[in-house]
Amino acid sequence: MIRLKTGSVMAGGVQMENHLILAAGVLGTTGSSLARILATGAGAVVTKSIGPFPHEGHPGPCFCEINGGLINAMGLPNPSKDFLTELDTLKGKPVIVSVFGGNPSEFHEVASWFKGRVSGVELNMSCPHAEGYGAAIGSDPGMIEACTKAVKSLGMPVWVKLTPNVTDITVCGVAAERGGADGIVAINTVKAMRISTDLMRPVLGNRFGGLSGPSIFPIAVRCVYELYEACSIPIIGCGGVSSVHDVVEMMMAGASAVQVGSAVIRDRDIFASIRDTLYSPDGIPAEEIVGCAHG
Ligand code: SIN
């Protein structure tokens, strides 16, 4: 098993304690849950997505478990600007705030609330089930570029989280890079649904949701691999990562850091167990494996 050298990491303009990051949406709604994940071995954490107005989200059921994953349709519930108070106890910690908006000025406004309070901003242009937000913005390369540019003008590190629900994800990655992004996060969930054969109706209140978990890992690896060939900014791999082997595979595809999401729901100590296996004082520099699977 490959072991990486212990030490802090810089990826996409953000200084982190290691390469492992809590993905947006999982245990990211309170300062105390974010602090807990940092204390149990994550190198950085991403918050739940925050938008321009407080929002309750989609009607339930919002969540269903399937073989090899989870489908969620939370609907971007968030307290909007009031989320700022959750950051009070996290000063100086590697926290990235996930933000969403329906146009460049909304993205700019929401991100501006967090200037000086976080290490960076992740733009959610990829939620697959939020009308007018998320993938509705992130399937349009012109909008990706304009929203990224608007947030970048604030002078903070900006990551753009992309949707896999497009024909060619590299077009979106290149648009984020043109807009001035410091990093690309790939991928958000895969649009999906289940139907209850007893009720003869969709399981989720919103009918459609986003599939996460081990079943999407090969899709995420493919997207990271393609983006690595098309873009020159760092890529943060995300999607179904649940073991140290997955982290190494993502890095070989081209990821400079790796997010873990759904796997945290089953194992709150997953960051510590991956970290303790991945790093060693006499390990190799991560640069030796990032993108090594490319010709
Ligand atoms: C949600 O809140 O519905 C999930 C967010 C996302 O998929 O980006």
Side-chain angles (χ1 to χ4, degrees):
M1 177 72 210
I2 284 168
R3 301 199 100 191
L4 302 182
K5 196 166 182 52
T6 315
S8 69
V9 170
M10 174 70 110
V14 176
Q15 190 77 39
M16 305 179 291
E17 297 180 10
N18 58 51
H19 296 89
L20 311 170
I21 308 168
L22 175 72
V26 182
L27 295 175
T29 50
T30 67
S32 54
S33 57
L34 291 164
R36 180 172 171 205
I37 296 293
L38 283 169
T40 53
V45 289
V46 185
T47 70
K48 177 79 183 142
S49 297
I50 304 299
F53 313 105
H55 185 57
E56 284 195 359
H58 293 318
C62 292
F63 201 75
C64 77
E65 191 162 6
I66 61 152
N67 267 341
L70 304 165
I71 309 178
N72 91 80
M74 305 298 291
L76 297 169
N78 80 98
S80 194
K81 199 173 184 177
D82 284 352
F83 182 71
L84 271 170
T85 56
E86 297 296 336
L87 299 175
D88 288 347
T89 54
L90 292 165
K91 253 192 196 126
K93 303 274 186 204
V95 176
I96 294 114
V97 65
S98 169
V99 305
F100 69 92
N103 54 51
S105 68
E106 284 188 356
F107 268 103
H108 179 273
E109 187 195 345
V110 178
S112 73
W113 301 335
F114 298 96
K115 187 167 177 172
R117 303 288 303 273
V118 292
S119 304
V121 195
E122 180 178 287
L123 309 187
N124 182 344
M125 298 201 196
S126 41
C127 174
H129 48 78
E131 223 180 302
Y133 296 111
I137 304 285
S139 310
D140 174 347
M143 278 298 260
I144 296 175
E145 183 177 349
C147 294
T148 307
K149 204 175 260 172
V151 177
K152 191 59 205 169
S153 71
L154 292 164
M156 315 156 74
V158 177
W159 297 355
V160 177
K161 187 167 182 178
L162 297 180
T163 176
N165 304 302
V166 288
T167 310
D168 182 356
I169 196 168
T170 66
V171 174
C172 302
V174 168
E177 185 165 5
R178 261 201 318 267
D182 299 277
I184 293 165
V185 182
I187 55 175
N188 205 321
T189 54
V190 178
K191 191 171 183 180
M193 78 182 295
R194 291 302 299 267
I195 290 170
S196 161
T197 52
D198 293 327
L199 300 175
M200 298 191 278
R201 289 284 179 278
V203 171
L204 296 170
N206 184 60
R207 298 177 297 149
F208 308 111
L211 176 62
S212 60
S215 53
I216 72 163
F217 180 69
I219 301 173
V221 171
R222 184 267 299 168
C223 289
V224 168
Y225 190 94
E226 288 181 343
L227 286 161
Y228 186 81
E229 305 227 323
C231 301
S232 43
I233 53 177
I235 299 157
I236 291 99
C238 178
V241 174
S242 60
S243 67
V244 66
H245 179 276
D246 293 347
V247 171
V248 170
E249 186 173 339
M250 258 314 181
M251 293 179 91
M252 290 181 169
S256 296
V258 176
Q259 296 189 351
V260 182
S262 299
V264 181
I265 296 169
R266 278 206 189 289
D267 178 5
R268 299 285 154 93
D269 294 321
I270 191 162
F271 286 102
S273 45
I274 294 179
R275 179 198 60 191
D276 294 349
T277 321
L278 183 60
Y279 295 104
S280 152
D282 57 1
I284 59 169
E287 297 71 45
E288 284 188 24
I289 64 159
V290 172
C292 73
H294 294 257

